[in-house]
Amino acid sequence: MKNITKLLLAALLISSTSCKKYLDVVPAEYSSENDVYNNINLTEQALARLYNALPNELTSPLTAATDETYHHWFDNGEAVDAYKYNLGAWSTNDNPYGNWSGKYQDIRRANIFIKRIDAVPVPLDRESYYAIWKPRYKAEARFLRAQFYFELFKRYGAVPLITSANDVDPQNLEDTQVSRNSVDEVVNFITSECDEIANVLPLVQEAAQTGRITRGAALALKARTLLYAASPLFNGNPLYSNVQNKDGKVLFNRSYDKEKWKRAADAAKAVIDLGIYKLYSPFPDNPVQNYAAQFYTRDYTETILQRILGNSTDIDGNYLPNGAPFKGNGKLTPLQQFVDAYEMKNGYPINQTGSGYTTAGVWSGQLWDGLKFQTVSNISNMYKDRDPRFYASVFFQYDVWRFDATKRPVRLAWYGAGNGITDGWATGKPGTNPWGYNVRKFLSPSYDRNANSGTGTRNFPLFRLAEIYLNYAEAMNEYLDAPDPSVYQYLNLVRNRVAMPNLPILAADNTKAGMRNRIQNERRVELAFESHRFWDVRRWLIAKTVDNVPALGLNARPSAAELSSTGLDVSSEAAGVAVFYKTVVLQNRVFADKHYLMPIPQAEIDKDPNLVQNYGW
């Protein structure tokens, strides 16, 4: 048995083989399918190829297509994709985040594997070994197929369920035409697959098999799927009441079903009750590090399933500030709306009376630089006494990073003559200004980019325990008339890891609606930049509010008049900082009702008239 990381590398050797669309003709995935499934080593590589299709959203632009960040590399394809979404300029023929045909290709590969794995010959002296592993391989492939269907479900809702590896005759039109299954059918398929394979999969994997599917991963996928299915997007949403197949089959639930929340809560609790995961917490006296370090190490205390990534410093290079001590490229700018979502350390939202939040004045004190605490000064009071996860996730003006090596704080305000001096690339080049903030989460303080020493040893968490706790709290809050102790318990476990105070704090926290706001905000900060927010604002039906407004940053490109108005030397750092802390519009964003779900690609509908389009498209 090979380590899965080696299998993934092997998969790359065959992943470049050309494929035709599943709903068009049978894809020629390999030179001979029989060759693959008559050789156990090639069969294992085929499974590795399926693993290689798991989401890798660590570098995903999805964060820039919602109210988390702004992607300012204007000449980069990722940025172009995000702009299309943010401006509502995507369509049935141009949907950069759709991947309809790609997922069905992955599903077909999984179907073939599931059909053929039992009959793959193995060496006689390895029969007892493969008697254990072949059922696991099959269960893993069924999980991966269910995950692929979840990726389609969250994009399109009702999709065709194709679960057979039977040959398709491209000359027979009926063979290449399918209708959409209902949302309930898709959800039931995903969850039933998870139930059926759970006990075949091991509770834990040996260290050499890290990254393989476990029982916890199967139950976590079930829990997430049921949470989405219970959410307003799919649970009695009137927008989709008239979406039906041409034979009249209704594809979306027309009435709200409260019990779906209970099923989601029970599924999340089943993961928790396995009792083998715990929140990452090796630094209880340092809440910033207690949160941050799990994202740049290979400690899997909290991780239920991770996308295995090779050692790399690409993320560090992309996200770090641009100034000479940091030598990064400042790819993404956290928006002011996102920064404002972090509560004060007393648990109050910044706009709540009693929070102590102010934008006036500065403070001096201690900040964690990734390796140790450093004395800082002239920090805006905007950034004083905030949720520790803020300091672990965002670079801001005069923040510190590896101070002993960099020798100075981060400077994101513009100052100086000509193109100016800043760690935010405030030059004449379009699209290079991060507008006041940089992403810090996932960056490794063990890597000194200036000295080109150290490396990145991170993976992308596909499922982790904190999400499961928040899933349970959300589902129970929506099921009950008012939050009970279990809702607070699991929400507070996530908060306590970073020394945030227990809820309830405000009177509204005792109500269903008030706790809903708390839970949604807790997901926003706890799961920041992990590609949850893009989907959460859709399933909650709040995207038309939060993604349909101007994206805000700070004034990192002041006009000459603004600098002159300070009465200071216009080329001085002090002048730049004096006009820096005000919000400016980076982009006027557009979100319409039809954007809640993605459109079925027009090319697929042209080929298959049985496919009906989603609402608004």
Side-chain angles (χ1 to χ4, degrees):
M1 180 60 198
K2 301 180 179 69
N3 186 315
I4 189 63
T5 56
K6 295 180 180 178
L7 287 176
L8 290 173
L9 291 174
L12 297 178
L13 299 176
I14 57 176
S15 63
S16 62
T17 308
S18 63
C19 300
K20 297 181 181 179
K21 294 183 179 179
Y22 175 83
L23 296 180
D24 188 3
V25 296
V26 178
E29 295 160 7
Y30 310 107
S31 56
S32 169
E33 184 182 302
N34 287 333
D35 289 343
V36 173
Y37 290 100
N38 278 297
N39 182 314
I40 190 61
N41 292 327
L42 293 179
T43 302
E44 289 172 337
Q45 290 181 17
L47 179 60
R49 182 176 186 175
L50 295 177
Y51 268 95
N52 210 35
L54 282 170
N56 176 16
E57 297 179 334
L58 183 56
T59 59
S60 171
L62 285 179
T63 181
T66 189
D67 60 348
E68 285 186 324
T69 67
Y70 175 78
H71 198 315
H72 48 83
W73 289 359
F74 289 170
D75 54 354
N76 179 275
E78 287 182 1
V80 171
D81 292 344
Y83 295 157
K84 288 177 181 178
Y85 262 71
N86 292 330
L87 301 178
W90 51 292
S91 68
T92 59
N93 293 313
D94 183 12
N95 177 9
Y97 303 147
N99 200 20
W100 173 282
S101 62
K103 281 301 116 188
Y104 274 109
Q105 291 167 17
D106 293 332
I107 287 165
R108 175 166 173 77
R109 295 183 189 107
N111 285 339
I112 293 171
F113 186 95
I114 292 163
K115 177 183 178 181
R116 302 200 60 170
I117 179 60
D118 291 335
V120 176
V122 300
L124 291 177
D125 62 349
R126 302 283 283 167
E127 283 183 339
S128 60
Y129 175 86
Y130 281 108
I132 297 171
W133 276 100
K134 284 173 73 172
R136 288 190 187 179
Y137 288 165
K138 191 171 186 176
E140 290 174 13
R142 291 177 69 180
F143 170 92
L144 292 164
R145 180 178 63 180
Q147 172 67 34
F148 301 152
Y149 270 115
F150 176 75
E151 292 298 317
L152 290 169
F153 162 61
K154 69 184 182 182
R155 286 166 169 80
Y156 305 100
V159 297
L161 286 172
I162 301 172
T163 60
S164 171
N166 293 335
D167 290 338
V168 176
D169 179 1
Q171 304 305 315
N172 184 349
L173 191 60
E174 291 185 359
D175 275 3
T176 62
Q177 294 185 346
V178 294
S179 298
R180 297 172 70 180
N181 288 83
S182 69
V183 162
D184 279 348
E185 289 172 336
V186 175
V187 169
N188 289 341
F189 174 75
I190 295 170
T191 57
S192 64
E193 285 289 282
C194 293
D195 285 337
E196 290 179 20
I197 64 177
N199 289 329
V200 180
L201 294 164
L203 194 59
V204 296
Q205 295 281 7
E206 298 175 6
Q209 309 306 327
T210 298
R212 300 197 80 97
I213 311 302
T214 61
R215 187 180 310 165
L219 297 181
L221 175 58
K222 175 183 177 179
R224 187 186 289 177
T225 301
L226 289 173
L227 184 78
Y228 275 54
S231 299
L233 179 63
F234 297 113
N235 195 356
N237 183 355
L239 284 178
Y240 305 138
S241 60
N242 293 322
V243 180
Q244 55 190 36
N245 283 340
K246 292 182 178 179
D247 63 1
K249 179 176 181 175
V250 175
L251 298 180
F252 293 84
N253 299 294
R254 289 178 169 174
S255 58
Y256 173 73
D257 183 356
K258 175 183 173 181
E259 293 303 315
K260 290 187 174 184
W261 287 112
K262 184 61 165 62
R263 290 193 286 274
D266 290 345
K269 192 62 163 57
V271 181
I272 296 169
D273 288 346
L274 289 175
I276 60 172
Y277 307 108
K278 61 182 180 179
L279 293 179
Y280 177 86
S281 187
F283 308 102
D285 296 329
N286 182 349
V288 177
Q289 183 76 337
N290 217 29
Y291 174 77
Q294 66 177 308
F295 300 111
Y296 58 77
T297 64
R298 297 200 190 279
D299 185 307
Y300 303 124
T301 303
E302 181 173 332
T303 307
I304 298 169
L305 180 65
Q306 61 279 77
R307 172 66 189 265
I308 297 293
L309 302 175
N311 291 348
S312 172
T313 58
D314 289 349
I315 298 302
D316 307 86
N318 284 340
Y319 288 176
L320 279 167
N322 179 243
F326 313 101
K327 288 190 174 178
N329 296 308
K331 175 179 179 178
L332 299 171
T333 298
L335 300 182
Q336 189 64 47
Q337 291 102 316
F338 171 75
V339 170
D340 290 346
Y342 286 90
E343 298 170 2
M344 303 298 287
K345 71 177 184 180
N346 62 13
Y348 280 68
I350 65 169
N351 60 358
Q352 183 73 35
T353 300
S355 70
Y357 176 78
T358 179
T359 60
V362 297
W363 64 280
S364 300
Q366 297 278 305
L367 281 179
W368 181 251
D369 76 348
L371 297 175
K372 63 182 181 180
F373 284 99
Q374 300 286 353
T375 300
V376 297
S377 60
N378 295 318
I379 305 290
S380 169
N381 279 330
M382 293 169 62
Y383 313 127
K384 183 180 181 181
D385 293 336
R386 303 294 289 274
D387 181 328
R389 289 170 291 192
F390 167 69
Y391 304 106
S393 301
V394 178
F395 284 119
F396 50 90
Q397 177 71 6
Y398 295 140
D399 195 5
V400 284
W401 181 252
R402 293 180 49 91
F403 190 83
D404 289 348
T406 59
K407 306 299 184 184
R408 67 166 175 81
V410 176
R411 294 169 177 159
L412 296 170
W414 184 100
Y415 71 97
N419 284 329
I421 301 170
T422 175
D423 295 332
W425 284 18
T427 69
K429 182 181 178 182
T432 55
N433 193 297
W435 303 106
Y437 302 103
N438 276 116
V439 171
R440 176 167 169 163
K441 184 174 175 177
F442 290 109
L443 302 188
S444 174
S446 67
Y447 175 56
D448 182 351
R449 187 168 174 82
N450 193 50
N452 196 28
S453 63
T455 188
T457 56
R458 62 185 70 79
N459 292 323
F460 181 75
L462 296 171
F463 298 95
R464 60 185 181 93
L465 186 60
E467 181 210 342
I468 302 299
Y469 282 171
L470 295 176
N471 290 355
Y472 178 81
E474 178 183 349
M476 283 303 295
N477 185 64
E478 295 299 332
Y479 181 67
L480 301 169
D481 293 330
D484 73 355
S486 71
V487 176
Y488 297 117
Q489 175 188 356
Y490 288 102
L491 192 63
N492 286 333
L493 284 171
V494 176
R495 294 169 64 86
N496 293 163
R497 188 246 298 277
V498 292
M500 287 295 286
N502 285 341
L503 299 174
I505 294 174
L506 307 175
D509 298 340
N510 295 294
T511 68
K512 185 189 194 84
M515 185 50 56
R516 178 186 297 136
N517 290 335
R518 285 285 199 172
I519 292 168
Q520 291 183 356
N521 199 69
E522 196 70 24
R523 287 183 68 92
R524 188 177 189 180
V525 300
E526 173 66 28
L527 305 176
F529 313 139
E530 295 178 48
S531 292
H532 286 275
R533 181 69 175 174
F534 180 92
W535 306 109
D536 280 347
V537 299
R538 284 161 171 75
R539 67 180 181 87
W540 292 329
L541 290 181
I542 66 170
K544 197 173 178 182
T545 300
V546 302
D547 285 345
N548 198 39
V549 296
L552 302 178
L554 293 181
N555 190 33
R557 294 294 294 273
S559 67
E562 286 177 300
L563 293 170
S564 295
S565 70
T566 66
L568 301 168
D569 179 352
V570 295
S571 65
S572 69
E573 181 177 353
V577 172
V579 295
F580 176 64
Y581 298 108
K582 72 172 185 178
T583 56
V584 295
V585 174
L586 310 186
Q587 186 178 55
N588 288 302
R589 295 185 169 179
V590 174
F591 193 100
D593 283 337
K594 69 178 184 178
H595 294 144
Y596 277 109
L597 283 179
M598 297 180 182
I600 309 300
Q602 187 59 47
E604 300 297 335
I605 292 178
D606 291 343
K607 290 186 300 185
D608 183 358
N610 291 329
L611 292 175
V612 296
Q613 188 55 276
N614 271 334
Y615 166 84
W617 296 99

